[in-house]
Amino acid sequence: MAEDLIFYANPMSRARIARWMLEEVGAPYRTEWLTFDGSMKSPDYLAINPMGKVPCIRHGKTIVTEAAAICAYLADAFPEAGLAPPTDKRGDYYRWLFFAAGPLEMAVSIKAFGLEVPKERHRSIGCGSYESVMDTLAYAVTQHPYITGDSFTAADVYVGAHISWGLQFGTLEPRPEFKAYWDRLKERPASKRATAIDDEEMHRQLAAAKAG
């Protein structure tokens, strides 16, 4: 039943990653749209996610936050979707999923905010240098058609979403390796459905805010 899987989201957030994953899974779900300074900070939602952020899913009695964790959870909860490799072949799957959640996002955020880690402190920070992260990401997306090999997985949802965002907003170097990888993903029907749903809600919220 749709009520068994609830998705807490805002269309102008990382919830777009989880939406894409939900559409890839194909299981019925219900969306609860939240606003940043309103319902996302309400007592009811803070009881679900004390961070007061999205994305978040509630699957029965299970609550999962953080986009990478949601991708991994949904792949395991709905194995029929085939979005996770067999457990004995998950090295690259876990490696690149959490590389994107950790070093990649950290390095991109540091650069986007105009900050700079002194070269002598690179060993002290999890992401090292921005340049080494870009080189590592380029390596990851050129070893196989997809992150884990010849099959699309939840790791491609997460890594692909970051690359799409980075190319669109200029937070990633526009390397041909990144574009080629994203070109292999962007026409997926689930990605298009997810984008259409979130774009429609984004326009609705923006229009409502403009109307006052």
Side-chain angles (χ1 to χ4, degrees):
M1 294 177 62
E3 290 76 20
D4 290 338
L5 183 53
I6 303 172
F7 176 39
Y8 301 91
N10 182 287
M12 294 171 279
S13 74
R14 290 173 179 80
R16 282 181 175 253
I17 303 173
R19 168 87 62 195
W20 179 9
M21 184 64 188
L22 284 161
E23 290 296 319
E24 291 283 355
V25 164
Y29 65 94
R30 173 166 59 87
T31 302
E32 291 282 346
W33 295 110
L34 303 179
T35 57
F36 289 110
D37 296 319
S39 51
M40 214 176 287
K41 306 302 181 184
S42 69
D44 285 348
Y45 185 64
L46 290 175
I48 296 170
N49 183 5
M51 280 285 286
K53 298 183 71 175
V54 292
C56 174
I57 61 169
R58 184 166 63 189
H59 187 207
K61 295 182 179 180
T62 300
I63 294 171
V64 187
T65 65
E66 315 313 319
I70 290 170
C71 288
Y73 173 83
L74 289 172
D76 286 342
F78 299 95
E80 64 275 12
L83 293 168
T87 53
D88 62 344
K89 296 181 179 179
R90 290 193 181 183
D92 283 344
Y93 175 75
Y94 288 131
R95 178 186 184 184
W96 300 120
L97 178 61
F98 294 109
F99 167 80
L104 176 59
E105 179 148 2
M106 182 186 294
V108 167
S109 296
I110 289 171
K111 185 175 179 62
F113 283 108
L115 304 174
E116 186 173 348
V117 179
K119 186 174 182 179
E120 65 272 16
R121 301 301 300 275
H122 284 173
R123 289 185 300 174
S124 302
I125 192 166
C127 61
S129 70
Y130 177 82
E131 291 74 18
S132 67
V133 169
M134 292 300 102
D135 289 344
T136 303
L137 181 62
Y139 171 85
V141 300
T142 53
Q143 298 308 295
H144 313 283
Y146 300 105
I147 284 294
T148 64
D150 294 328
S151 299
F152 178 90
T153 68
D156 292 292
V157 172
Y158 194 77
V159 174
H162 276 277
I163 288 179
S164 171
W165 178 273
L167 293 176
Q168 182 179 358
F169 293 100
T171 56
L172 285 186
E173 295 175 352
R175 297 193 184 190
E177 302 98 310
F178 301 156
K179 184 179 183 302
Y181 174 69
W182 176 238
D183 283 345
R184 292 195 289 274
L185 306 184
K186 66 183 181 181
E187 297 301 319
R188 292 185 66 82
S191 176
K192 290 186 172 183
R193 288 196 305 272
T195 297
I197 293 168
D198 284 324
D199 282 353
E200 181 179 5
E201 176 63 15
M202 178 180 68
H203 295 318
R204 188 196 69 78
Q205 288 191 18
L206 292 173
K210 186 176 181 180

